[in-house]
């Protein structure tokens, strides 16, 4: 995937570090704005070391936080635009059910974000979606706009359009050093590059980069178990590929939330995951002893036994992914407080993929010194106490 080193140049309008979905969409927007953009990736593409790999992600309009739900219409539109640009299907509409206690504040906020009044009880949900079994007194809200994004395909598509618009993508180049200034110098394992603007979207590695720049961000990488569960009756219409996605809010059995996607990736296997994981060093993510305890699996097994009785209660396939969480699980999208030409996009906390087209636009706008399209208060670095003292 890397551009030929034979014609390597060293000066660009913008450098973006990290070619996951956030960095790739940022570079895509910059290239569409006719900015000569270099996108750097430390691993050879494609790879499964970060947070953007895998075949599927949920996309939904339902969001408890209004500042995300306001961004979703544009995200849907930009995903459709990318589909049109590449002639590739990136989205499958399946619908989504949000499960939780009645009157739970986040559930109510999701219902308001959808502009719907209908709430399904256990009997109504079972009639509409036979694969789900609610517990007594619990309810569900349906998001008909939701579905599955084909993640690997989407990442390749946005990188293709970025390059089609003249962008330069270099993979297999690890960034060794960043020297701030009016012109930022980035030294990698393969070269030295300069640009008046730098954007850091390096996922779980972002914390180490910004430490070089005198900034301590409260970013916690988590190792996530991505689990697939076999249907007891393969091809069952009650579960299979026709079922909706789901997520839980406010259930005592799932304190961090559980989400699931229909059996699109592996025939007969439904993807069901705990929205939480174990703290990890991204360089050592795969160095987990086979005998290490996995409390998330016990939580998922218990949930499946109660809510998805058509699935076996032990995972058939287990993969891993990385989240990079902030304490409040809101993104960081902001300028470096000391170096205004360095922009940081980080802390996507396991729910950033669907919003990547809009996040990339916002990071592009910040880099170009433009007024962002949305209120950025919830994404500001200054919401974390003590961070600025290290930077200034």
């Amino acid at each position: 995937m890397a551009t030929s080193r034979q014609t390597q140049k060293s000066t660009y309008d913008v450098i973006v570090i990290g070619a996951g979905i956030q960095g790739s969409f940022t570079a895509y927007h910059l290239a569409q704005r006719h900015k000569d953009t270099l996108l750097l990736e430390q691993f050879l593409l494609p790879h499964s070391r970060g947070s953007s790999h895998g075949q599927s992600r949920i996309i939904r309009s339902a969001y408890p936080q209004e500042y995300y739900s306001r961004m979703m219409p544009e995200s849907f539109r930009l995903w459709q635009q990318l589909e049109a640009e590449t002639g590739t299907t990136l989205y499958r509409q399946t619908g989504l059910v949000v499960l939780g206690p009645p009157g739970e504040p986040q559930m109510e906020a999701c219902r308001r974000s959808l502009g719907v009044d209908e709430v399904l009880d256990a009997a109504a949900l079972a009639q509409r979606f036979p694969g789900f079994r609610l517990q007594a007194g619990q309810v569900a809200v349906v998001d008909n706009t939701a579905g599955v994004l084909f993640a690997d395909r989407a990442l390749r598509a946005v990188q293709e359009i970025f390059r089609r618009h003249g962008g330069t993508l270099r993979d297999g180049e690890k960034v060794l050093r960043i020297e701030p200034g009016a012109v930022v110098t980035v030294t990698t394992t393969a070269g030295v590059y300069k640009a008046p603007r730098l954007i850091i979207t390096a996922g779980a590695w972002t914390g180490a980069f910004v430490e070089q720049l005198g900034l301590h961000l409260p970013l916690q990488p988590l190792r996530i178990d991505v689990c697939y569960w076999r249907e007891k009756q393969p091809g069952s219409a009650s579960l299979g590929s026709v079922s909706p996605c789901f997520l839980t809010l406010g259930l005592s059995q799932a304190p961090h939330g559980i989400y699931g996607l229909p059996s699109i990736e592996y025939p007969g296997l439904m993807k069901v995951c705990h929205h939480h994981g174990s703290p990890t060093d991204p360089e050592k993510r795969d160095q987990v002893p086979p005998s290490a305890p996995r409390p998330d699996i016990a939580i998922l097994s218990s949930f499946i036994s109660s809510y998805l009785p058509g699935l076996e209660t032990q995972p058939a396939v287990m993969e891993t992914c990385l989240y990079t969480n902030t304490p409040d699980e809101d993104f960081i999208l902001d300028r470096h407080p000391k170096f205004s030409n360095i922009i940081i996009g980080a802390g996507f906390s396991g729910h950033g993929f669907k919003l990547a087209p809009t996040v990339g636009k916002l990071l592009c706008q910040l880099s170009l010194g433009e007024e962002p399209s949305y209120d950025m208060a919830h994404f500001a670095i200054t919401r974390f106490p003590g961070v600025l003292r290290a930077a200034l």
Side-chain angles (χ1 to χ4, degrees):
M1 191 113 189
T3 301
S4 169
R5 268 61 171 179
Q6 295 178 351
T7 58
Q8 181 168 321
K9 56 181 280 188
S10 62
T11 303
Y12 294 86
D13 294 333
V14 193
I15 298 171
V16 180
I17 298 175
I21 196 66
Q22 309 295 348
S24 294
F25 258 115
T26 302
Y28 161 98
H29 284 289
L30 288 162
Q32 288 196 322
R33 301 285 294 276
H34 307 291
K35 301 302 176 185
D36 188 9
T37 304
L38 171 64
L39 178 59
L40 291 170
E41 170 55 50
Q42 64 173 322
F43 301 115
L44 292 171
L45 293 169
H47 70 83
S48 59
R49 298 290 302 278
S51 303
S52 296
H53 67 282
Q55 297 180 56
S56 64
R57 296 291 191 280
I58 294 175
I59 183 169
R60 54 189 163 100
S61 297
Y63 244 111
Q65 300 91 346
E66 186 182 0
Y67 44 94
Y68 291 120
S69 64
R70 281 198 302 264
M71 296 162 70
M72 283 311 305
E74 182 171 34
S75 290
F76 271 103
R77 181 180 62 78
L78 289 171
W79 281 116
Q80 292 166 356
Q81 178 180 305
L82 182 63
E83 284 187 316
E85 286 177 309
T86 58
T88 304
T89 300
L90 303 177
Y91 163 69
R92 176 172 177 175
Q93 187 172 357
T94 64
L96 169 121
V97 293
V98 185
L99 313 174
E104 199 277 334
Q106 291 191 90
M107 286 279 292
E108 286 299 300
C110 278
R111 188 178 60 78
R112 287 194 300 271
S113 74
L114 293 170
V116 300
D117 296 322
E118 184 183 26
V119 175
L120 304 181
D121 61 14
L125 182 68
Q127 184 174 10
R128 187 162 171 183
F129 302 114
F132 292 91
R133 179 190 294 163
L134 276 177
Q135 305 305 293
Q138 295 174 349
V139 296
V141 173
V142 178
D143 177 354
N144 290 313
T145 70
V148 176
L149 287 170
F150 302 126
D152 283 342
R153 194 185 299 175
L155 185 61
R156 289 194 301 271
V158 69
Q159 290 169 353
E160 175 190 332
I161 298 299
F162 164 65
R163 298 179 72 182
R164 195 184 295 175
H165 282 276
T168 301
L169 172 57
R170 297 193 182 280
D171 61 353
E173 286 199 33
K174 185 178 178 66
V175 172
L176 303 175
R177 188 168 64 256
I178 299 168
E179 299 169 57
V183 174
V184 183
T185 302
V186 177
T187 302
T188 75
T189 49
V192 178
Y193 308 101
K194 295 179 182 291
R197 305 173 188 89
L198 173 69
I199 302 172
I200 301 173
T201 51
W205 288 265
T206 298
F209 284 129
V210 299
E211 288 278 3
Q212 292 182 41
L213 302 169
L215 189 60
H216 179 71
L217 295 179
L219 297 172
Q220 177 60 69
L222 298 176
R223 180 185 186 275
I224 306 298
D225 290 321
V226 180
C227 302
Y228 299 83
W229 309 76
R230 193 177 308 281
E231 299 170 21
K232 290 178 179 177
Q233 296 180 347
S236 165
S238 66
L239 282 168
S241 59
V242 297
S243 71
C245 301
F246 76 87
L247 61 86
T248 72
L249 290 174
L251 292 183
S252 59
Q253 302 94 322
H256 296 282
I258 290 172
Y259 66 91
L261 296 86
S263 55
I264 291 175
E265 298 183 35
Y266 301 111
L269 301 183
M270 189 172 181
K271 181 177 180 177
V272 182
C273 306
H274 193 206
H275 191 59
H276 193 60
S278 306
T280 191
D281 178 341
E283 296 288 354
K284 301 175 181 177
R285 181 187 84 182
D286 299 321
Q287 299 176 21
V288 179
S291 60
R294 285 192 143 108
D296 294 339
I297 305 303
I299 290 170
L300 289 168
S301 294
S302 174
F303 175 85
I304 284 169
S305 178
S306 298
Y307 290 83
L308 297 166
L311 298 180
E312 302 287 351
T313 56
Q314 290 300 312
V317 174
M318 288 179 55
E319 299 172 354
T320 60
C321 189
L322 284 176
Y323 287 3
T324 306
N325 281 30
T326 60
D328 56 13
E329 297 189 7
D330 282 329
F331 309 160
I332 293 172
L333 308 172
D334 205 352
R335 298 179 177 89
H336 189 291
K338 186 176 180 181
F339 310 112
S340 61
N341 61 341
I342 297 178
I343 310 299
I344 300 159
F348 295 101
S349 303
H351 64 107
F353 199 101
K354 71 185 78 63
L355 285 154
T358 304
V359 165
K361 177 182 173 181
L362 290 169
L363 293 173
C364 171
Q365 290 172 331
L366 286 171
S367 178
L368 299 179
E370 299 173 355
E371 184 69 25
S373 302
Y374 299 87
D375 181 2
M376 303 295 281
H378 292 282
F379 312 126
I381 288 172
T382 51
R383 74 185 192 268
F384 300 117
V387 173
L388 288 176
R389 286 200 299 273
L392 299 175

